[in-house]
Amino acid sequence: MPILEQRNIYKCEPSRAWVNLSVFSPTGDSRQCEFLVDTGNPCPLIVGSEFMIAMRWRTSAGIESNFGSMDAGWLSLAVPEFGSEFKTICYANDIVLNVVRRSKDSFAGLVGLPLLRMMEFGGDQGYFWVRPIRGD
């Protein structure tokens, strides 16, 4: 049986890991977006304010960070290659989005360690990959 995984060649200069996620709104809209990966980030996902407003299922209590206030909301996500839809708390901060877009202007935000820990993840010289957690 083939291993389900998303394998992405690094982008940008210097090389950056990224993942492709589908995001679903409560109104039935969906967006497939590329997100920069930062394993040192303690937030599952950080997007821009407009993105959060358009796609969130419900609001939640925001937090303060070294980038200022971050609004919070629940987003519905999936990894297209293997994932079924799931909801997780995410954050919105336009300053973070602008920093992320310095690497590539089409990145929709930043994926952090809590979201990555919902999967197996890793990388080598050429690729960053995510896989469903196996129940061995």
Side-chain angles (χ1 to χ4, degrees), residues 75-134:
L75 296 181
S76 183
L77 310 169
V79 178
E81 289 78 2
F82 62 80
S84 47
E85 195 173 335
F86 65 96
K87 292 178 181 67
T88 191
I89 194 161
C90 300
Y91 298 92
N93 183 287
D94 292 330
I95 295 170
V96 172
L97 180 62
N98 289 333
V99 171
V100 165
R101 287 190 169 162
R102 288 183 196 159
S103 292
K104 188 170 189 319
D105 63 1
S106 63
F107 282 143
L110 185 68
V111 167
L113 187 59
L115 183 62
L116 292 170
R117 291 190 64 189
M118 295 178 187
M119 304 169 257
E120 290 183 3
F121 66 94
D124 56 27
Q125 287 182 327
Y127 296 90
F128 181 81
W129 52 264
V130 292
R131 299 177 187 144
I133 292 176
R134 295 178 287 184

Side-chain angles (χ1 to χ4, degrees), residues 24-46:
F24 306 94
S25 79
T27 61
D29 294 330
S30 67
R31 297 182 189 177
Q32 196 154 325
C33 304
E34 295 176 354
F35 293 90
L36 183 66
V37 169
D38 179 359
T39 57
N41 183 348
C43 298
L45 184 69
I46 302 173

